[in-house]
């Protein structure tokens, strides 16, 4: 049986995920293994897989759960992690990344998933999918382990654009609230604005202006504004969504990843230090496994590009099968919730709220 299915067969009653098979550090084998895991646990997902046809056919043929569920689109080119986004824009039409985004643009797929070059993926997404009307700067939103009941907080922006003025920060708050509502089921998300202190007089001018705008628009936009928050609140329980500019967010993200890696290394060294500590590690094995699973970044893998005419999930470049499957799970959940359409309505509401704030300030936005 051919592993290349026609689109009608793949899409019959299913949510279609467009997957860039070639962007990750581990190659297409990890991507195919990841989507196979997703296919095994969720019969409502179909895939359009982009990359060199012959190589992908060999890999897909070994995965019984992908039979009749995976259409392969031939794309010989690969966007490497070292490629400059401007170069990809000029010469990247034959790449798997371009092809994967194009499937969303053409409404053949609901969401795009890629482990590839973040800068190139963002630029291609902006150019091919276009920004939503009223969005100045798209944002990348990620899930951060936290003490909140849902287990995670949303933080944005973490690197789509290093700059953000007060209007951008307000849009980030509204888009983050929509993500929290549709991706995590939080009916009235709590929004915090990241600053160097919680006092209202602290911070740059644009942060103070954003603070005022968020406070004014919270009720109309159905979120709770908790004011300024600090770095220690990112994994805390005072807010569900942390809003910041891309420079600060990216530094915080990389610092958190590095710190988690260091703690894991030091913990392993501590448990190997003496025979007694090795025995303690054995006795604590179940608890340590539970902790490892709880903070495993692969299981919350996926940054969401917000503010575009289509949903794009950026999986980590070093993702293995577990990470790819987690990104697909997130993509499916967002597609099922109608997230893209609801986010567009939220942004349109934000534009109207801003216009009305400048005049009468009286507007009621939709619960999206």
């Amino acid at each position: 049986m051919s592993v290349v299915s026609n689109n009608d067969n793949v899409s019959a009653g299913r949510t279609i995920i467009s997957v860039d098979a070639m962007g990750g550090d581990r190659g297409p084998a990890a991507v195919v293994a990841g989507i196979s895991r997703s296919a095994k646990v969720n019969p409502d997902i179909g895939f359009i897989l982009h990359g060199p046809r012959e190589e992908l056919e060999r890999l897909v043929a070994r995965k019984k759960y992908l039979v009749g569920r995976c259409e392969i689109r031939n794309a010989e080119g690969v966007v490497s992690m070292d490629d400059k986004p401007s170069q990809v824009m000029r010469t990247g039409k034959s790449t798997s990344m371009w092809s994967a985004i194009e499937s969303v643009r053409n409404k053949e797929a609901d969401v795009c998933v890629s482990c590839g070059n973040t800068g190139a993926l963002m630029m291609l997404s902006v150019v091919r999918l276009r920004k939503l009307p009223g969005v100045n700067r798209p944002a990348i939103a990620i899930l951060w382990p936290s003490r909140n009941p849902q287990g995670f907080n949303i933080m944005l922006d973490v690197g789509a654009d290093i700059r953000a003025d007060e209007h951008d920060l307000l849009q980030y708050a509204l888009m983050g609230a929509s993500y929290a509502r549709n991706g995590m089921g939080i009916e009235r998300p709590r929004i915090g604005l990241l600053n160097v202190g919680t006092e209202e007089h602290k911070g740059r001018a644009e942060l103070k202006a954003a603070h005022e705008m968020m406070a004014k628009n919270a009720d109309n936009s159905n979120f709770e504004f908790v004011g300024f928050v600090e770095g220690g609140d990112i994994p805390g329980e005072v807010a569900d969504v942390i809003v910041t500019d891309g420079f600060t967010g990216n530094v915080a993200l990389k610092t958190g990843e590095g710190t988690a890696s260091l703690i894991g290394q030091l913990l392993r060294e501590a448990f190997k230090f003496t025979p007694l500590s090795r025995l303690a590690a054995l006795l604590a094995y179940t608890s340590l496994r539970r902790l490892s699973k709880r903070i495993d970044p692969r299981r919350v893998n996926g940054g969401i590009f917000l503010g575009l005419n289509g949903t794009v999930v950026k999986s980590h470049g070093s993702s293995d099968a577990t990470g790819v499957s987690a990104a697909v799970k997130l993509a499916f959940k967002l597609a099922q919730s109608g997230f893209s359409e609801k986010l567009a309505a939220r942004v349109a509401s934000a534009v109207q709220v801003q216009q009305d704030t400048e005049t009468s300030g009286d507007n009621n936005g939709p619960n999206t």
Side-chain angles (χ1 to χ4, degrees):
M1 180 181 293
S2 173
V3 297
V4 183
S5 306
N6 65 60
N7 197 48
D8 289 340
N9 202 21
V10 169
S11 62
R14 297 190 177 108
T15 295
I16 304 301
I17 311 295
S18 178
V19 181
D20 171 14
M22 307 304 294
D25 298 336
R26 298 173 184 262
V31 175
V32 172
I35 68 172
S36 178
R37 288 190 183 189
S38 297
K40 178 180 179 180
V41 300
N42 192 337
D44 296 325
I45 302 179
F47 299 96
I48 303 177
L49 191 62
H50 305 261
R53 184 181 299 277
E54 290 186 7
E55 183 175 5
L56 295 183
E57 284 183 343
R58 287 196 299 271
L59 292 170
V60 172
R62 302 169 189 162
K63 306 294 183 182
K64 64 179 182 179
Y65 296 104
L66 293 179
V67 173
R69 309 259 303 270
C70 183
E71 179 185 357
I72 295 175
R73 295 283 176 87
N74 187 55
E76 297 294 335
V78 177
V79 176
S80 76
M81 293 299 182
D82 298 323
D83 285 341
K84 294 181 179 179
S86 57
Q87 175 188 347
V88 176
M89 285 304 308
R90 290 194 302 270
T91 63
K93 287 188 177 180
S94 64
T95 63
S96 57
M97 182 182 287
W98 189 299
S99 181
I101 293 172
E102 209 67 12
S103 287
V104 175
R105 183 175 185 263
N106 295 334
K107 309 297 182 184
E108 299 171 302
D110 301 283
V111 188
C112 172
V113 174
S114 175
C115 304
N117 181 317
T118 303
L121 184 64
M122 174 56 80
M123 182 172 283
L124 279 179
S125 298
V126 170
V127 171
R128 300 308 297 164
L129 299 179
R130 302 292 183 183
K131 293 182 289 187
L132 290 170
V135 170
N136 183 32
R137 303 182 195 279
I140 302 175
I142 56 100
L143 295 178
W144 195 295
S146 79
R147 291 188 292 272
N148 271 320
Q150 67 270 18
F152 301 96
N153 290 336
I154 295 167
M155 185 167 76
L156 73 164
D157 179 26
V158 296
D161 200 311
I162 63 173
R163 297 163 296 177
D165 64 18
E166 58 270 27
H167 299 288
D168 299 323
L169 293 170
L170 175 61
Q171 286 189 346
Y172 294 170
L174 294 167
M175 292 192 294
S178 188
Y179 180 17
R181 199 171 287 118
N182 295 288
M184 303 179 74
I186 303 172
E187 187 62 28
R188 187 176 172 83
R190 296 166 299 159
I191 309 293
L193 181 59
L194 191 62
N195 199 356
V196 294
T198 58
E199 299 86 352
E200 291 188 18
H201 66 274
K202 287 192 173 182
R204 301 189 302 268
E206 63 269 24
L207 288 175
K208 296 176 184 178
H211 185 286
E212 183 178 350
M213 294 172 69
M214 289 180 191
K216 286 182 178 179
N217 292 318
D219 288 338
N220 289 335
S221 301
N222 195 31
F223 66 80
E224 179 184 346
F225 182 54
V226 300
F228 287 134
V229 295
E230 299 179 283
D233 296 316
I234 296 174
E237 54 191 358
V238 300
D240 305 300
V241 179
I242 310 294
V243 174
T244 187
D245 62 85
F247 181 91
T248 306
N250 192 264
V251 170
L253 174 62
K254 298 298 174 58
T255 302
E257 290 177 343
T259 302
S261 177
L262 174 62
I263 291 173
Q265 179 183 340
L266 293 177
L267 193 60
R268 287 190 294 271
E269 290 175 359
F271 276 121
K272 292 178 181 178
F273 192 67
T274 66
L276 189 59
S277 62
R278 286 194 288 271
L279 176 60
L282 183 62
L283 294 173
Y285 178 73
T286 301
S287 297
L288 290 173
R289 279 197 64 185
R290 189 181 301 113
L291 173 63
S292 177
K293 185 176 180 179
R294 173 72 176 79
I295 64 175
D296 187 350
R298 300 176 304 165
R299 297 182 182 276
V300 292
N301 185 43
I304 311 300
F305 290 2
L306 301 178
L308 304 173
N309 284 297
T311 304
V312 178
V313 176
K314 168 62 176 75
S315 184
H316 201 287
S318 60
S319 295
D320 58 8
T322 299
V324 172
S325 181
V328 169
K329 180 180 179 180
L330 177 58
F332 174 79
K333 186 173 184 178
L334 293 175
Q336 285 286 290
S337 74
F339 175 67
S340 185
E341 295 79 9
K342 290 179 179 178
L343 182 61
R346 168 61 60 190
V347 171
S349 171
V351 173
Q352 187 64 49
V353 164
Q354 285 181 223
Q355 293 172 348
D356 289 351
T357 299
E358 293 169 0
T359 54
S360 67
D362 182 19
N363 181 70
N364 293 314
N367 184 25
T368 55

